[in-house]
Amino acid sequence: ATPLEDSARSRNRSVFVCRIPFSLSVALVLSAAREYFNSATSPTDHEMSLARYCLDLIEEHVDEIIVEHQLIEAMGILASHQVSVLPVQVRLCQHKLEIVREALQSSPDLFRSSDTVLKLAQLLGLKDAGGCVDNLTGELGQAMILVIQAAMKRSQFHEASVLSDRLISTPFPAAWSVCSELASGDQLQDLQTRTRLLQFALTHCPTNEIKRLLQVLHTVEAESLYQQCSVLSSDTQQQQVSGGLLRQFAGVQQLVSRSAGAVQQLIRADMGETGKMSRYLNWMSSATAGLHDYWQSNAPHHSVEHVRNSSQLVQSCHPFYDNAFSTPSSPTSVGSYIVLRPVSRLERLQLNHAILRTSLLLDDCSQSGSDVSEVLVSMAQSTAANDLSLFLSCLLALPEPLLAKPLILKLEPNMLTLHVAIYYVCLQLSNLLTSNCDYSLYLLPPATVVAHVTSHMINNQSDWPEKTRELFNFLKELQSKLGDLMEGKTLQEFDLDIDVERFTQEAAYKHQVILMLARSTDGVYLSTGLRLAAKYEVSKWEVFMEHLDWLLTDSKLANQMILDHMTQLGVDDVILQKPQESVDYLLTIVFPKMDGTEHNSLLVCLSLVEKCVRSGARDVQPVGVSKQIKVLKTFKLLLPAVDFKAVMSGNDPLVVLQPYLTSENVRRIADVANKIPLSSSDHLLASHIYRTFAEKMFWDKQTDKEIDWLYRYHCCQEYLEKLPGAEYEAVIKSFTISPIALELMPIDVRTSIVRKCIKFSKSQSCKMEGIAVKLQQLLKHLKIVGDVALAQLADKAEWRPLYEELAISDSETDKIHSLVVKMFMSGLDHQLINSVLTLTSSVLPHSLRLPALLSEAMESCLSKLSDDQSRIESLEAIDNMVRSCQTSPTMSMELVLRVLSDYYQNTGHPAGARVALLELIELTSALPSSDILQYKTEAILCNQFDIKIDHSLITSCEERCSLMEQLLSQAVNMDQLRVLVKLLHSWPDPMITHVSSWGHLLVQLSLQPGGRGYALQVRASFKEFSLEADEKLYENLSGDLPTAVKVAIISREELLLRKAIADAKEHFMELSSDHDLLELLIQCRQVHHIINTPLYSALYHYLLTVDHTSHHLSLPLFAALSHCSEGETVQILELHDLACRVRGVAEHLYHHGYWLEAGALLVRSHKTHAALVTTGNAISLLHKLFKK
């Protein structure tokens, strides 16, 4: 051989080597290798290595050499999987598959490495059916079957199914048995894989196995549908579908969850329960119906079916042909082939087909029938929009005709669906009425079938069975809906905004449409409305009343045209058929909507009412209709612009009439005044009309000339003479002592008018008895109004209202009484008040006296002190009365003090009101200061402390401090401490003489729950305070570091503030978010103390970016700090804009030597870019703003 020759030449070129043939060399090598292989005891034996060495001597590709190499490699694979077999046994084994089987048995996990097993089989010389090693057929296919069986023995069914798919894809027909065995068991959970395996087995199995495999396949298909519904149920639950749908899946889920073979168990169970299977099918049907609804609203639309023919107005082809047409719902579409679009989700129709098939399969397996009515109904619902032929076929397959009724009622009510439904019902009626099914009936046109059946049912109304009667009633219902739909389509041609769907479904809407047609003069509209009214049982009277309503309110027709139209239609005759109802309709519906100035239309309406009353109807109006017509005719002639309805409403008719009264019509209006009602169930009088006109003439301001009031009175006298005495007196008073008379007429003119009236009243003594005397009193009153003694009332602007009240009082006792009380409250001189009483007493004697009236005025003001809103006004009035009494020579202060003492000594009154009154008395010096201090102390303490206060406890500062210490020892809650704060504020010189008391009180407040903020607020109200007290308060607040630091800031004590900053070194982050603390640093000008702390960065950011207005801050604290109200504090904070605040802080830092920080703050406040904030820019800006 060539390798030997090369070796010999390399050793000795001169040595002669004998050449032997190549075939002999191969034979020698094979012989030696086989000898070594057969003598080896294991794959790792030394002989096995010698055999491999011998084979390696031949480098050429020789088949026998390759076979030997493969045997050696196969032995290595067997050894690696612990297969104990001698190499010679492997060589001598006639059935190499047995070695593969032994390897699979020896190595439990070898089946997981199917490629290794196949390689082993190939190395052992196993081949496919074609003699090669590429396809899994023949012996290699048998090896794969052994692998699958090994996996099944170890319950690894998923791996077995994967390996089976490889055999199926080859395909290898002999694998049918293992596929059948794998798919027939319940252990494999993947039903789709089981179905695929069974289909392969059915294709290649012997004839005698087909029936068994078909039954197993039917069972798997049924179980697959159950499992599919269960999976969809869980997915739907994750999507949070309604609970009703989930409950429908409950039965299916329970069935599937029992085991993978639940359906098989069901089929094998006792089928004596005939309703059990139908219940499961019903669950599945309702579940798939609910899933379809969910898909319709959530899943993306990929097919043409879901967007076409949604209203079911045209007949469509079957969905199978959708992709062959561009518009499959149009009967005129031509073939236009388009690219097929795949449907990516399960359709409802497919589910229904599956359910129906499952039902038939289960019936075949269990030899029992099941009810598939719901499945058929669901299929019909799915096909209604796509294939009406299939839709009708599903309905005709139902065992009971009325089962289709709910579905038909759910369909879109249009011409097509209603015609199909009527055709279906007629077919079913024909089948019920004839004993033998006549198939020729289905070949007749639908219209012929409907006409024949309807005619037969109407002409032969015998005693039909209940089912037939129900079906016939349903037919009449459908025909009624079809008629409504046709009527709605007809109405749409009138260009009216009519909802046809509502017209076919709602009786109230039909009624509304009919009445809408009546609101027109178009003969077509009105005739259509009358025709529909007769059809739908709407009374002709109601249509005519609606028509009349429109004529009188909205038609805008001339009166004569309205009358002619009513005569032409015969409206009067229809109205008089129901006189009482007509009256009620006209007066309650029509009349209120009419325009009160349209007298012609009103006259027509009232004339119709009058006709009805004459026909027997009751007239329940306050004023009879005949009287109203008389008044209306008068107004129509004399007052065409007046609002008749407003006049007759009874609400101030004189106000409505006054602008239209003239000298030409006043008498005629007065003649009908007694027919005009008033709200007080009375009516107007003629004198009311004359009085109104006289006042109108007298006060007429439409003139630019100087008014001659006496001439005006002379012009009015004609109408005044027609008035009775009481009204005459009232008019004269309105001419002389009314507010407008005071404004426009001088006193001498008014006096002259009264004298003329007195003269006239004396001449008419029989008609105006006693009026002359009252006018004499009025004359006296006018004289005192012009008295010099009262002139000062009219001269001062603030007293002018009192003078006017006196002028219009006519010296009546009640009015004078009220006037004098107001005069006391205004602080008028008592002599002036006494003059008013004296002068008015000369007109009408009275018993009014100053002391009683003053006491009443005081008590009136004191009664209002309890109200916080009116307290200030009442205190001002009391102050006026007290000061006027102090300067009055006629009134004694004893009366005033007695009334006041009765109030502030009464513990039943609020403490705040009593203290406010005492502070007022203190300002007027009406009582000694010691008494006032005693009463104030008692008033403040009375509600919280049970202690008796006398002069000895509050005379000196030391005694008051001792009293405060005693009260502090008794105080146990916040309310008592708040009272003590108020008490200290009320004592004289609170911050000079009671500093120690304040310190103890603030400490007590800080110890109370929720009292620290209030203590801080109280401390902020003092500009000066004891350092010792501040330090004590700071120590007590050490547990609340932000509040303690605020105390140090407010104190403005440098030592205390430094101590606070040192204590807060570890808490700067907490303090940085407290806007109150940062604002206090700014307000108290203490920013320089924190310049080297992290707190300055927070203040820097707060000052430049945070809104400093009141909604970020504690208003009570800053109100106390600025010594003003909270409202004033808000205004102060809002007045200082950002530039002012930044400049103030910068100036403060500048004066304390922090130039760089001040300049940087100013530059940043001008929105300067950070790159330009340099030291030079900052110093330059400082020098410009703060030159020394």
Side-chain angles (χ1 to χ4, degrees):
T2 300
L4 294 176
E5 290 176 356
D6 293 340
S7 177
R9 289 191 189 102
S10 64
R11 292 193 300 269
N12 189 359
R13 296 281 182 180
S14 61
V15 179
F16 177 76
V17 179
C18 294
R19 296 179 178 271
I20 61 176
F22 179 74
S23 59
L24 181 59
S25 300
V26 171
L28 290 174
V29 169
L30 288 174
S31 175
R34 287 169 181 169
E35 186 65 26
Y36 285 129
F37 181 88
N38 292 338
S39 62
T41 58
S42 67
T44 59
D45 200 349
H46 179 65
E47 282 77 2
M48 193 66 70
S49 299
L50 293 175
R52 188 181 295 108
Y53 177 76
C54 290
L55 294 173
D56 289 341
L57 294 175
I58 305 299
E59 296 180 353
E60 283 76 12
H61 184 83
V62 180
D63 291 340
E64 291 84 349
I65 298 296
I66 293 174
V67 170
E68 293 300 324
H69 273 297
Q70 288 178 347
L71 280 176
I72 294 173
E73 187 178 354
M75 290 305 301
I77 294 175
L78 291 173
S80 63
H81 290 88
Q82 291 80 38
V83 179
S84 58
V85 59
L86 293 174
V88 68
Q89 289 178 325
V90 174
R91 181 183 298 279
L92 298 177
C93 181
Q94 298 296 323
H95 302 284
K96 297 295 191 296
L97 280 175
E98 295 299 327
I99 298 176
V100 175
R101 179 181 287 108
E102 184 177 354
L104 289 170
Q105 292 175 353
S106 300
S107 179
D109 294 331
L110 182 58
F111 70 91
R112 300 184 186 277
S113 302
S114 59
D115 293 337
T116 303
V117 176
L118 291 176
K119 182 178 180 181
L120 174 63
Q122 292 173 356
L123 294 175
L124 291 174
L126 300 180
K127 300 180 180 179
D128 61 5
C132 62
V133 295
D134 295 333
N135 295 324
L136 295 179
T137 57
E139 293 177 331
L140 288 181
Q142 294 295 337
M144 182 61 75
I145 290 175
L146 293 177
V147 177
I148 295 172
Q149 290 174 345
M152 293 170 59
K153 286 181 180 180
R154 289 165 178 79
S155 301
Q156 300 300 322
F157 297 98
H158 176 71
E159 287 80 353
S161 66
V162 173
L163 297 175
S164 299
D165 286 339
R166 295 180 62 181
L167 290 177
I168 291 173
S169 61
T170 300
F172 183 44
W176 75 266
S177 59
V178 70
C179 292
S180 171
E181 180 183 358
L182 178 60
S184 298
D186 300 339
Q187 294 83 0
L188 183 60
Q189 300 297 322
D190 190 347
L191 297 180
Q192 292 183 355
T193 302
R194 291 177 64 186
T195 303
R196 187 167 61 254
L197 294 174
L198 286 170
Q199 290 172 347
F200 177 80
L202 276 170
T203 304
H204 301 284
C205 71
T207 307
N208 58 346
E209 293 290 335
I210 292 178
K211 184 176 180 180
R212 180 184 67 83
L213 291 178
L214 275 177
Q215 187 173 6
V216 176
L217 180 61
H218 294 169
T219 304
V220 172
E221 283 186 13
E223 188 174 356
S224 176
L225 180 59
Y226 278 109
Q227 187 175 16
Q228 187 178 41
C229 292
S230 177
V231 171
L232 292 173
S233 170
S234 62
D235 293 342
T236 308
Q237 187 172 7
Q238 293 176 2
Q239 295 290 336
Q240 297 182 354
V241 186
S242 62
L245 180 60
L246 298 180
R247 286 193 296 274
Q248 292 174 354
F249 285 129
V252 178
Q253 288 177 327
Q254 181 181 4
L255 181 65
V256 176
S257 63
R258 291 175 183 170
S259 70
V263 178
Q264 295 179 2
Q265 297 174 13
L266 176 67
I267 294 174
R268 300 187 188 114
D270 183 10
M271 297 308 297
E273 303 179 21
T274 57
K276 188 173 184 180
M277 186 65 62
S278 64
R279 287 197 301 272
Y280 287 140
L281 288 173
N282 292 341
W283 282 339
M284 293 167 63
S285 175
S286 59
T288 54
L291 281 174
H292 175 71
D293 296 338
Y294 170 76
W295 286 335
Q296 290 283 7
S297 60
N298 292 276
H301 290 213
H302 297 289
S303 67
V304 181
E305 176 183 344
H306 303 289
V307 295
R308 66 180 179 93
N309 199 20
S310 60
S311 60
Q312 302 175 7
L313 295 176
V314 296
Q315 185 167 192
S316 305
C317 64
H318 191 276
F320 180 79
Y321 303 101
D322 280 356
N323 293 43
F325 302 96
S326 59
T327 54
S329 298
S330 173
T332 60
S333 63
V334 297
S336 175
Y337 295 98
I338 58 177
V339 178
L340 293 177
R341 293 187 296 272
V343 179
S344 61
R345 61 185 177 83
L346 191 62
E347 299 295 343
R348 183 180 181 182
L349 183 59
Q350 295 170 342
L351 282 176
N352 289 326
H353 282 160
I355 293 174
L356 189 60
R357 173 172 172 76
T358 303
S359 174
L360 298 176
L361 292 176
L362 295 180
D363 290 346
D364 180 62
C365 294
S366 60
Q367 303 298 323
S368 64
S370 59
D371 186 8
V372 293
S373 300
E374 291 191 17
V375 181
L376 289 170
V377 171
S378 182
M379 288 180 62
Q381 184 177 1
S382 303
T383 59
N386 305 314
D387 192 343
L388 282 178
S389 299
L390 182 57
F391 167 76
L392 191 60
S393 301
C394 292
L395 295 186
L396 290 173
L398 291 171
E400 293 294 334
L402 287 174
L403 291 176
K405 182 177 180 179
L407 173 60
I408 293 174
L409 294 177
K410 290 180 182 179
L411 295 178
E412 185 75 19
N414 53 50
M415 303 289 286
L416 180 62
T417 56
L418 288 175
H419 276 296
V420 172
I422 291 173
Y423 178 53
Y424 162 76
V425 175
C426 289
L427 288 175
Q428 294 288 21
L429 280 172
S430 178
N431 293 332
L432 290 175
L433 293 173
T434 57
S435 57
N436 297 324
C437 183
D438 187 4
Y439 295 104
S440 63
L441 184 68
Y442 296 91
L443 302 178
L444 298 175
T448 304
V449 175
V450 172
H452 174 71
V453 173
T454 304
S455 175
H456 177 77
M457 296 294 292
I458 293 175
N459 297 329
N460 300 279
Q461 296 188 8
S462 57
D463 294 334
W464 293 319
E466 181 66 24
K467 185 186 301 184
T468 305
R469 285 200 303 271
E470 287 188 41
L471 204 56
F472 181 58
N473 292 333
F474 185 41
L475 174 62
K476 291 193 291 184
E477 180 183 349
L478 293 175
Q479 289 179 335
S480 175
K481 284 188 175 183
L482 182 59
D484 294 344
L485 185 62
M486 296 175 66
E487 294 288 0
K489 297 293 184 181
T490 303
L491 292 175
Q492 279 188 328
E493 297 175 359
F494 290 163
D495 294 331
L496 297 175
D497 186 15
I498 293 177
D499 188 341
V500 178
E501 182 178 357
R502 287 188 62 192
F503 185 83
T504 59
Q505 296 177 358
E506 301 179 17
Y509 187 70
K510 289 189 184 75
H511 190 277
Q512 180 182 346
V513 170
I514 292 170
L515 296 183
M516 181 177 66
L517 292 171
R519 301 183 69 84
S520 173
T521 54
D522 191 330
V524 177
Y525 282 48
L526 187 58
S527 61
T528 303
L530 290 172
R531 179 177 60 79
L532 294 178
K535 180 178 180 180
Y536 296 114
E537 299 180 353
V538 178
S539 68
K540 185 178 180 181
W541 172 87
E542 188 174 0
V543 176
F544 271 63
M545 293 305 294
E546 186 71 22
H547 185 61
L548 182 60
D549 182 1
W550 178 80
L551 286 174
L552 296 177
T553 58
D554 298 329
S555 67
K556 306 300 181 184
L557 297 177
N559 189 52
Q560 189 59 43
M561 293 181 64
I562 293 175
L563 293 175
D564 294 343
H565 187 71
M566 291 172 57
T567 303
Q568 181 181 357
L569 293 176
V571 175
D572 291 2
D573 297 335
V574 177
I575 287 177
L576 293 178
Q577 293 175 3
K578 298 180 179 180
Q580 187 60 53
E581 290 84 347
S582 300
V583 169
D584 296 339
Y585 189 92
L586 289 170
L587 294 180
T588 58
I589 297 177
V590 179
F591 190 78
K593 294 190 293 184
M594 298 178 70
D595 187 355
T597 60
E598 295 291 337
H599 294 169
N600 291 326
S601 300
L602 292 171
L603 189 59
V604 173
C605 181
L606 292 178
S607 299
L608 291 174
V609 173
E610 187 180 28
K611 289 181 181 180
C612 294
V613 171
R614 290 175 183 173
S615 299
R618 298 187 310 276
D619 187 4
V620 295
Q621 299 179 95
V623 179
V625 65
S626 58
K627 293 181 180 180
Q628 291 190 53
I629 292 175
K630 183 176 181 180
V631 176
L632 180 57
K633 290 180 178 179
T634 303
F635 284 4
K636 179 182 175 183
L637 179 63
L638 301 175
L639 305 175
V642 77
D643 190 338
F644 174 76
K645 290 170 60 179
V647 173
M648 301 303 291
S649 65
N651 298 324
D652 294 329
L654 293 174
V655 175
V656 181
L657 288 172
Q658 186 198 40
Y660 305 98
L661 292 177
T662 64
S663 58
E664 289 81 12
N665 62 23
V666 64
R667 292 179 178 81
R668 292 285 302 276
I669 301 301
D671 292 341
V672 297
N674 60 349
K675 298 178 178 61
I676 300 175
L678 292 172
S679 57
S680 59
S681 301
D682 205 348
H683 56 80
L684 284 180
L685 299 175
S687 60
H688 296 161
I689 302 295
Y690 289 127
R691 175 182 172 179
T692 301
F693 181 63
E695 291 176 341
K696 175 187 176 183
M697 288 183 63
F698 188 81
W699 296 116
D700 187 10
K701 297 181 180 180
Q702 296 180 0
T703 178
D704 296 333
K705 300 179 182 180
E706 186 176 353
I707 301 174
D708 186 352
W709 295 104
L710 292 176
Y711 173 75
R712 284 196 178 185
Y713 170 76
H714 177 72
C715 295
C716 297
Q717 191 170 2
E718 176 186 358
Y719 305 102
L720 294 175
E721 292 174 356
K722 300 179 182 294
L723 302 180
E727 284 195 49
Y728 182 78
E729 178 190 358
V731 172
I732 299 305
K733 286 185 177 180
S734 69
F735 287 173
T736 55
I737 59 173
S738 62
I740 190 173
L742 296 179
E743 179 183 356
L744 299 178
M745 284 190 292
I747 189 68
D748 55 342
V749 175
R750 289 183 281 150
T751 302
S752 300
I753 291 175
V754 173
R755 287 195 177 99
K756 289 180 180 292
C757 293
I758 292 172
K759 182 178 180 180
F760 171 74
S761 61
K762 288 181 178 180
S763 64
Q764 301 288 329
S765 58
C766 58
K767 179 182 177 182
M768 298 187 178
E769 184 178 359
I771 299 302
V773 177
K774 294 182 179 180
L775 293 178
Q776 288 286 357
Q777 293 176 357
L778 178 58
L779 185 60
K780 292 180 180 179
H781 175 72
L782 290 175
K783 289 181 179 179
I784 69 168
V785 169
D787 192 277
V788 179
L790 302 180
Q792 56 179 322
L793 275 178
D795 294 341
K796 291 187 178 182
E798 65 269 21
W799 292 349
R800 180 71 184 179
L802 297 174
Y803 174 77
E804 293 177 356
E805 186 174 351
L806 171 63
I808 66 175
S809 67
D810 197 18
S811 298
E812 295 179 8
T813 302
D814 294 340
K815 294 180 180 179
I816 297 300
H817 179 269
S818 176
L819 173 64
V820 171
V821 171
K822 293 180 182 178
M823 294 174 74
F824 273 125
M825 292 181 181
S826 300
L828 266 65
D829 184 67
H830 290 185
Q831 291 183 353
L832 179 59
I833 299 175
N834 190 44
S835 300
V836 172
L837 290 176
T838 303
L839 292 172
T840 55
S841 178
S842 64
V843 179
L844 282 176
H846 55 71
S847 58
L848 300 177
R849 297 294 179 267
L850 285 180
L853 294 175
L854 176 60
S855 178
E856 180 180 346
M858 294 287 292
E859 291 175 355
S860 175
C861 294
L862 291 172
S863 65
K864 299 177 183 178
L865 286 179
S866 300
D867 186 6
D868 294 337
Q869 297 181 352
S870 58
R871 180 175 296 174
I872 295 177
E873 182 181 353
S874 300
L875 288 174
E876 290 177 355
I878 294 172
D879 184 50
N880 291 334
M881 288 185 282
V882 172
R883 294 186 184 279
S884 64
C885 288
Q886 288 177 335
T887 60
S888 174
T890 59
M891 293 294 293
S892 173
M893 279 295 294
E894 295 180 0
L895 173 64
V896 175
L897 294 177
R898 184 174 66 252
V899 175
L900 296 178
S901 64
D902 291 340
Y903 186 87
Y904 63 68
Q905 292 183 11
N906 187 350
T907 57
H909 295 303
R914 293 162 59 196
V915 172
L917 180 60
L918 288 168
E919 291 175 349
L920 173 65
I921 297 173
E922 185 177 11
L923 292 176
T924 59
S925 302
L927 279 178
S929 58
S930 58
D931 294 342
I932 293 176
L933 183 59
Q934 177 186 356
Y935 293 136
K936 283 168 62 177
T937 304
E938 288 180 347
I940 293 171
L941 297 176
C942 65
N943 293 329
Q944 294 293 337
F945 293 92
D946 185 13
I947 186 172
K948 180 66 175 176
I949 303 298
D950 55 26
H951 285 286
S952 61
L953 296 176
I954 56 175
T955 303
S956 64
C957 175
E958 291 77 7
E959 293 169 346
R960 289 196 293 273
C961 290
S962 176
L963 175 62
M964 179 56 64
E965 293 297 330
Q966 179 184 353
L967 294 173
L968 281 173
S969 63
Q970 299 177 8
V972 294
N973 55 47
M974 276 295 296
D975 292 335
Q976 290 179 330
L977 293 175
R978 287 177 183 272
V979 166
L980 296 182
V981 170
K982 188 183 297 183
L983 178 62
L984 273 178
H985 275 300
S986 68
W987 281 351
D989 302 326
M991 284 313 301
I992 297 176
T993 58
H994 303 96
V995 175
S996 60
S997 297
W998 276 115
H1000 296 160
L1001 178 56
L1002 291 179
V1003 170
Q1004 286 288 92
L1005 280 171
S1006 65
L1007 297 176
Q1008 290 293 325
R1012 294 176 177 178
Y1014 183 65
L1016 184 64
Q1017 176 185 337
V1018 174
R1019 173 60 189 88
S1021 63
F1022 299 124
K1023 292 183 178 180
E1024 298 179 0
F1025 208 65
S1026 168
L1027 176 59
E1028 180 182 356
D1030 279 335
E1031 291 176 345
K1032 184 66 175 176
L1033 180 59
Y1034 179 86
E1035 292 175 3
N1036 279 276
L1037 293 172
S1038 57
D1040 184 1
L1041 187 59
T1043 306
V1045 175
K1046 290 174 188 176
V1047 170
I1049 296 171
I1050 293 172
S1051 71
R1052 297 177 175 84
E1053 294 289 346
E1054 186 172 352
L1055 294 177
L1056 185 58
L1057 188 55
R1058 287 181 179 176
K1059 183 178 186 304
I1061 293 174
D1063 293 341
K1065 186 177 298 184
E1066 302 295 332
H1067 304 278
F1068 281 129
M1069 291 300 295
E1070 177 185 356
L1071 300 178
S1072 299
S1073 60
D1074 193 331
H1075 288 177
D1076 285 343
L1077 188 145
L1078 300 177
E1079 188 66 30
L1080 279 175
L1081 286 169
I1082 297 172
Q1083 297 290 335
C1084 296
R1085 301 181 68 82
Q1086 301 295 316
V1087 180
H1088 63 284
H1089 286 289
I1090 63 165
I1091 202 71
N1092 295 319
T1093 68
L1095 196 58
Y1096 177 72
S1097 298
L1099 186 140
Y1100 182 87
H1101 179 268
Y1102 167 77
L1103 189 60
L1104 293 178
T1105 60
V1106 179
D1107 183 10
H1108 67 280
T1109 51
S1110 58
H1111 59 276
H1112 287 291
L1113 305 173
S1114 173
L1115 283 180
L1117 173 61
F1118 288 93
L1121 187 67
S1122 56
H1123 299 280
C1124 58
S1125 66
E1126 293 185 17
E1128 293 170 341
T1129 302
V1130 173
Q1131 295 178 2
I1132 292 172
L1133 290 173
E1134 291 179 349
L1135 282 175
H1136 291 80
D1137 58 5
L1138 177 62
C1140 294
R1141 289 163 55 81
V1142 170
R1143 179 166 178 168
V1145 174
E1147 184 177 5
H1148 169 70
L1149 294 175
Y1150 177 80
H1151 290 306
H1152 282 80
Y1154 297 102
W1155 288 18
L1156 185 58
E1157 289 79 1
L1161 183 62
L1162 283 172
V1163 173
R1164 287 296 292 162
S1165 68
H1166 288 80
K1167 307 298 183 183
T1168 306
H1169 192 274
L1172 300 177
V1173 182
T1174 62
T1175 304
N1177 290 339
I1179 298 300
S1180 176
L1181 185 58
L1182 280 175
H1183 285 307
K1184 289 180 181 179
L1185 294 177
F1186 310 127
K1187 290 182 180 179
K1188 293 186 179 180

